[in-house]
Amino acid sequence: MLRRNIRLRREYLYRKSLEGKERLLYEKKRKIKEALEEGKPIPTELRNEEAALRQEIDLEDNYTSIPKTHIDDEYANATVRDPKILLTTSRDPSAPLIQFVKELKFVFPNAERMNRGGQVISEIIESCRAHEFTDVILVHEHRGIPDGLIISHLPFGPTAYFGLLNVTRHDIKDKKAIGTMPEAYPHLILDNFKTKLGERTVNILKHLFPVPKPDTKRIVTFANRSDYISFRHHIYEKPGGPKSVELKEIGPRFELRLYQVKLGTMEQSEAQIEWVIRPYMNTTKKRSFIGSEPEPDEKRKRNKA
């Protein structure tokens, strides 16, 4: 198993190293296509390669014409099978953290919770690879309050590091009024992830959930405002027919703040950092890294409401 993982990792790194060459070849083909479509002469630097490139262009279709990246390769098998998630905590977890992770087990379908004990991260990751887990979620705490969440995609990454804020558990309202927490696959609402980093964040979050049935009444929302991602969990009912919808929040609720994305799994300290928040970024209040800021009129309406 160890040799297999090493071989797969080498193949992944080799494919990643070819991205620059494939991008350069793609740009050459694009210039030739534009010249042919617009009736312009072939660029001078490409005339020696024109015949070979035109032959490749003729053999391409919509799927093969655009070069693939390591990001596509990370989630290449995501649609083949449902996600299988391992949930665990930092060492010596407090009772509130254990309770919060138990509730997260119901939020993420097909999730399994494991008591950390004395295991190190590298052992956990290797065990998850051997048992074909797709993701590992590690929850941290500070003085009994959950304050960090790490999502690591297997077998090659990426790993996203989130700060965890304003955690409110399942007891948002009267438990009798809410009822039991459903385990149906939920519909996802992903709001205001418009930048390249936002799309990357969506890719990491949405692959934690399998494809739901059309008639499921469970909804999970990730709404981004000023780079703080609000998580909400609802069910809806139609007591008076299709035109009347009753929405119930069943919890938990919390806010996420992305501060690092790493091109590797959790235990790889040498993995390349794709994005990280820097100290000076905290002062750029008018700039959003994940989504777009609302217009001034929208802000006024929200404040009035």
Side-chain angles (χ1 to χ4, degrees):
M1 182 59 67
L2 182 60
R3 288 182 179 178
R4 177 176 175 270
N5 288 334
I6 293 171
R7 176 176 57 81
L8 291 173
R9 181 68 185 172
R10 282 178 179 170
E11 289 176 1
Y12 170 72
L13 292 174
Y14 174 70
R15 290 193 298 271
K16 186 180 172 185
S17 68
L18 294 178
E19 287 180 18
K21 296 177 183 178
E22 291 177 359
R23 175 59 60 178
L24 183 61
L25 186 63
Y26 171 73
E27 289 299 325
K28 290 180 179 179
K29 292 177 186 176
R30 185 182 61 80
K31 289 179 182 178
I32 290 176
K33 277 184 182 179
E34 289 180 357
L36 294 173
E37 289 172 0
E38 297 174 5
K40 294 180 180 179
I42 302 297
T44 310
E45 68 274 11
L46 299 177
R47 287 178 184 174
N48 293 334
E49 305 174 71
E50 178 193 355
L53 290 174
R54 286 184 69 171
Q55 187 176 2
E56 289 186 20
I57 291 170
D58 293 336
L59 296 173
E60 289 175 344
D61 56 17
N62 293 333
Y63 181 76
T64 58
S65 60
I66 301 173
K68 303 298 178 185
T69 66
H70 65 276
I71 295 175
D72 301 313
D73 198 44
E74 288 165 351
Y75 292 98
N77 298 322
T79 56
V80 177
R81 57 193 178 95
D82 287 344
K84 185 180 177 183
I85 301 168
L86 180 77
L87 278 165
T88 188
T89 64
S90 53
R91 287 201 179 106
D92 299 323
S94 63
L97 182 64
I98 293 172
Q99 182 63 31
F100 178 61
V101 173
K102 284 181 180 178
E103 292 176 8
L104 286 182
K105 181 181 179 296
F106 292 103
V107 169
F108 299 107
N110 305 327
E112 296 181 20
R113 186 178 66 87
M114 185 192 77
N115 293 326
R116 173 76 177 272
Q119 285 189 301
V120 296
I121 292 295
S122 57
E123 292 176 356
I124 295 172
I125 297 295
E126 285 303 317
S127 177
C128 289
R129 284 198 183 105
H131 292 86
E132 297 186 340
F133 281 85
T134 60
D135 295 271
V136 176
I137 298 178
L138 178 68
V139 187
H140 287 274
E141 66 176 343
H142 179 68
R143 294 184 178 180
I145 300 174
D147 70 337
L149 187 139
I150 305 172
I151 301 172
S152 187
H153 184 65
L154 300 179
F156 306 125
T159 300
Y161 295 79
F162 295 92
L164 201 56
L165 307 138
N166 304 327
V167 176
T168 306
R169 300 203 311 272
H170 183 58
D171 49 358
I172 291 174
K173 296 179 181 177
D174 185 12
K175 288 186 178 180
K176 293 182 180 179
I178 295 172
T180 57
M181 189 178 291
E183 296 186 42
Y185 295 170
H187 291 296
L188 293 182
I189 298 175
L190 298 153
D191 181 44
N192 194 23
F193 294 86
K194 298 183 179 179
T195 64
K196 193 172 181 180
L197 180 62
E199 292 172 1
R200 180 68 157 150
T201 308
V202 163
N203 217 27
I204 292 167
L205 294 174
K206 74 179 182 181
H207 284 109
L208 298 173
F209 298 88
V211 178
K213 293 181 179 179
D215 58 345
T216 184
K217 295 181 179 179
R218 183 181 170 202
I219 302 168
V220 166
T221 305
F222 292 95
N224 172 50
R225 293 294 180 271
S226 303
D227 289 346
Y228 286 88
I229 303 168
S230 299
F231 174 88
R232 298 293 184 268
H233 187 196
H234 296 85
I235 56 171
Y236 71 89
E237 295 176 355
K238 297 179 179 179
K243 291 187 178 180
S244 65
V245 177
E246 183 180 336
L247 198 65
K248 292 182 181 178
E249 185 175 358
I250 55 175
R253 63 160 68 169
F254 50 84
E255 318 293 327
L256 295 171
R257 178 78 190 273
L258 179 68
Y259 65 88
Q260 183 173 302
V261 179
K262 191 168 68 172
L263 295 177
T265 48
M266 202 184 304
E267 87 285 7
Q268 295 171 348
S269 57
E270 74 283 357
Q272 180 184 348
I273 294 175
E274 181 180 347
W275 181 86
V276 64
I277 193 167
R278 302 291 182 187
Y280 65 86
M281 292 180 179
N282 292 325
T283 62
T284 57
K285 293 182 179 178
K286 296 182 179 179
R287 183 180 175 188
S288 292
F289 298 99
I290 296 177
S292 61
E293 282 296 311
E295 297 296 327
D297 294 340
E298 293 182 18
K299 284 185 177 179
R300 292 194 196 100
K301 289 178 183 177
R302 193 181 300 164
N303 292 333
K304 287 180 181 178

